[in-house]
């Protein structure tokens, strides 16, 4: 399994990224009085009229920066149009606040440069923008296959983080819809300190063995909804990090990938609680994990994960379909002291059905110091699809109840 805890590492470098973004905003080219204004008549900035070329080879970074400067500086409804074609770009820092409401219409494809020396942090980073819309049928292609061999995070913890594809920092009342995120160098989408975000009808696509290519990661965010989205990647399809509240995940298909995860929790000091999480009407296909909550046994933070509800979930040969892992320790970098500071409580699983690729369809591996409480299972009917073993559940230090479940799984 890839080093999933790198999700928490990203939080550690966000302040640096934000500073870089702020400086980039100061240095970003202002809209030229003639060309940009003429190309943005009616509130629409067509990047091809600002010098962008859709041949997939010519660097179109400057045209996109100019379009952003004009759109963000305009009042009312503003649109950046990316027409059909393939547009190569380096890192893009789109920083607000903006005077009006900006829509980025992605009809064509943006291709990330494979020259890592160009990047200080991420590929496309959008910072402090309200009422942002990113929509269309085009692609954000991270061109990850060219650089995945530079990823050393499976071998060492203090590895160099490759650029994430789309990073939304401090974005309020935003929407991302219709687009495809393809082959990111690292995470496909990272949502940090955002409020009231809707991500819908999005496709994320990368091979199952691509390193650390999480589909959508979020942290310290409130009111995020992920709806009718298909995710195939090499790490967590969705990872819900510390400080996430009021999260709604509905109609998501995950696989390949490492499942829909809460955590990892407790890696750093001063992490905030995770609460009010709902995952409904989702399908997990051949993912290495299903519904997962993971926390470090030697957690550095005192925090709680609570009010978590899973309902109407279909497993199609998913590994570890239901797993609470309070002894999470990737690459053996933690101390197995058992002195967990993470509390998991009030977690419900309702109508979880299908097949498991592992005999352990349910694994509730809670801390002996702080047991999991209020865990309920109702209508959990997941069976091992293999023939060399039987369906089973492993429950340690978990307290709750089970009704209407396969008898093999009623371990509470």
């Amino acid at each position: 399994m890839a080093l999933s805890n790198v999700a928490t590492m990203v939080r550690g470098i966000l302040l640096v990224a934000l500073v870089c973004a702020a400086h980039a905003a100061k240095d970003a080219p202002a809209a030229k009085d003639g060309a940009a204004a003429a190309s943005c008549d009616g509130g629409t900035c067509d990047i091809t009229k600002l010098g962008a070329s859709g041949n997939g080879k010519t660097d179109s970074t400057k045209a996109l920066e100019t379009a952003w400067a004009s759109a963000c500086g305009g009042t009312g409804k503003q649109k950046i149009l990316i027409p059909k074609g393939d547009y190569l770009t380096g890192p893009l820092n789109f920083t607000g606040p903006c005077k009006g409401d900006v829509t980025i219409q992605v009809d064509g494809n943006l291709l990330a440069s494979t020259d890592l020396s160009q990047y200080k942090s991420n590929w496309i980073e959008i910072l402090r923008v309200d009422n942002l819309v990113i929509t269309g049928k085009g692609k954000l292609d991270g061109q990850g296959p060219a650089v995945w061999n530079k990823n050393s995070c499976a071998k060492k913890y203090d590895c160099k983080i490759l650029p994430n594809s789309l990073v939304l920092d401090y974005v309020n009342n935003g929407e991302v819809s219709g687009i495809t995120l393809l082959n990111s160098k690292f995470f496909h989408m990272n949502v940090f300190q955002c409020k009231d975000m809707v991500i819908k009808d999005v496709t994320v696509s990368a091979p199952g063995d691509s390193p650390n290519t999480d589909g959508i990661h979020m942290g310290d965010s409130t009111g995020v909804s992920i709806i009718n989205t298909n995710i195939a990647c090499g790490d967590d399809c969705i990872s819900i990090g510390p400080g996430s509240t009021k999260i709604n995940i509905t109609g998501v298909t995950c696989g390949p990938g490492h499942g829909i995860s809460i955590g990892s929790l407790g890696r750093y000091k001063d992490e905030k609680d995770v609460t009010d999480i709902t995952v409904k009407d989702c399908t997990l296909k051949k993912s290495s994990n299903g519904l997962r909550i993971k926390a470090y046994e030697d957690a550095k933070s005192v925090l709680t994960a609570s009010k978590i509800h899973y309902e109407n979930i279909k497993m199609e040969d998913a590994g570890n379909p239901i797993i609470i892992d309070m002894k999470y320790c990737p690459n053996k970098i933690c101390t197995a002291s058992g002195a967990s500071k993470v509390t998991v409580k009030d977690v419900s699983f309702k109508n979880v059905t299908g097949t498991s690729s592992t005999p352990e369809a349910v694994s509730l591996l809670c801390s002996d110091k702080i047991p999991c409480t209020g865990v309920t299972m109702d209508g959990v009917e997941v069976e091992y699809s293999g023939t060399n073993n039987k369906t089973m559940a492993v429950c340690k230090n978990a307290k709750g109840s089970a009704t209407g479940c396969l008898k093999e799984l009623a371990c509470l």
Side-chain angles (χ1 to χ4, degrees):
M1 182 180 70
L3 184 59
S4 299
N5 70 301
V6 177
T8 7
M9 293 174 57
V10 175
R11 300 175 67 246
I13 63 170
L14 272 169
L15 289 178
V16 175
L18 296 183
V19 171
C20 292
H23 283 293
K26 293 179 182 178
D27 297 336
K32 300 281 197 265
D33 292 339
S39 301
C40 299
D41 287 344
T44 297
C45 297
D46 182 336
I47 64 169
T48 60
K49 295 180 180 180
L50 295 169
S53 174
N55 61 14
K57 298 179 181 178
T58 303
D59 190 337
S60 298
T61 304
K62 185 176 180 180
L64 280 151
E65 290 175 338
T66 302
W68 177 262
S70 178
C72 188
T75 58
K77 302 290 185 181
Q78 299 288 322
K79 179 184 289 186
I80 297 172
L81 175 61
I82 301 169
K84 290 184 178 180
D86 296 324
Y87 303 91
L88 179 67
T89 86
L92 297 167
N93 292 294
F94 296 156
T95 301
C98 297
K99 292 182 179 179
D101 299 340
V102 178
T103 294
I104 302 175
Q105 182 71 38
V106 187
D107 294 334
N109 305 319
L110 296 184
L111 312 181
S113 170
T114 58
D115 180 2
L116 293 179
S117 67
Q118 293 187 18
Y119 298 91
K120 294 181 179 179
S121 55
N122 302 302
W123 176 26
I124 303 171
E125 186 153 7
I126 302 177
L127 172 67
R128 301 190 187 283
V129 178
D130 294 342
N131 306 314
L132 171 75
V133 175
I134 303 173
T135 190
K137 299 298 182 182
K139 298 182 178 68
L140 305 183
D141 185 350
Q143 301 206 96
V147 299
W148 285 334
N149 62 352
K150 306 292 186 182
N151 186 327
S152 62
C153 293
K155 299 177 182 178
K156 57 181 180 178
Y157 184 70
D158 57 341
C159 57
K160 178 177 175 58
I161 303 298
L162 298 182
N164 299 310
S165 280
L166 177 61
V167 175
L168 306 175
D169 297 330
Y170 300 93
V171 174
N172 300 319
N173 302 309
E175 175 184 310
V176 180
S177 64
I179 66 171
T180 294
L181 293 106
L182 179 67
N183 289 335
S184 61
K185 295 177 175 66
F186 214 66
F187 294 179
H188 285 86
M189 188 185 305
N190 192 37
V191 178
F192 177 72
Q193 286 276 15
C194 293
K195 184 178 181 180
D196 298 330
M197 288 288 305
V198 175
I199 300 165
K200 64 180 182 178
D201 303 318
V202 167
T203 299
V204 175
S205 181
D209 60 353
S210 54
N212 302 114
T213 54
D214 292 57
I216 302 170
H217 173 70
M218 69 187 77
D220 294 304
S221 296
T222 299
V224 178
S225 293
I226 304 174
I227 304 166
N228 297 335
T229 289
N230 295 319
I231 302 175
C233 61
D235 212 297
D236 290 329
C237 291
I238 298 172
S239 54
I240 301 168
S244 301
T245 63
K246 297 181 181 178
I247 308 301
N248 170 48
I249 299 169
T250 303
V252 168
T253 298
C254 165
H258 294 186
I260 298 174
S261 297
I262 295 174
S264 51
L265 304 176
R267 184 68 184 92
Y268 293 100
K269 293 181 179 179
D270 302 320
E271 292 181 0
K272 297 177 182 178
D273 293 347
V274 175
T275 187
D276 198 2
I277 312 296
T278 300
V279 181
K280 293 181 66 175
D281 304 326
C282 295
T283 301
L284 293 104
K285 297 183 176 182
K286 298 185 182 299
S287 52
S288 59
N289 295 285
L291 309 172
R292 178 166 63 157
I293 302 171
K294 49 183 176 175
Y296 282 88
E297 185 172 8
D298 62 345
K300 304 296 189 296
S301 293
V302 177
L303 72 154
T304 298
S306 65
K307 298 181 182 178
I308 301 163
H309 180 65
Y310 303 97
E311 184 173 354
N312 298 335
I313 309 296
K314 185 177 181 181
M315 303 289 175
E316 297 182 7
D317 277 347
N320 305 304
I322 292 175
I323 177 168
I324 299 177
D325 184 2
M326 304 299 291
K327 298 180 180 293
Y328 181 68
C329 185
N331 287 16
K332 301 179 181 179
I333 59 172
C334 25
T335 302
S337 64
S340 178
K341 299 177 183 178
V342 179
T343 298
V344 174
K345 64 179 183 178
D346 302 331
V347 182
S348 59
F349 301 92
K350 184 176 181 179
N351 297 335
V352 181
T353 61
T355 55
S356 170
S357 63
T358 56
E360 299 86 356
V362 173
S363 299
L364 306 180
L365 310 175
C366 300
S367 168
D368 54 348
K369 304 293 184 182
I370 309 177
C372 302
T373 59
V375 179
T376 62
M377 295 194 300
D378 181 3
V380 176
E381 298 185 357
V382 182
E383 295 188 84
Y384 175 48
S385 59
T387 58
N388 61 338
N389 212 324
K390 62 181 181 179
T391 305
M392 66 181 74
V394 179
C395 297
K396 297 180 179 179
N397 305 308
K399 299 178 180 180
S401 63
T403 59
C405 303
L406 287 178
K407 64 179 182 180
E408 296 89 345
L409 303 181
C411 63
L412 288 168

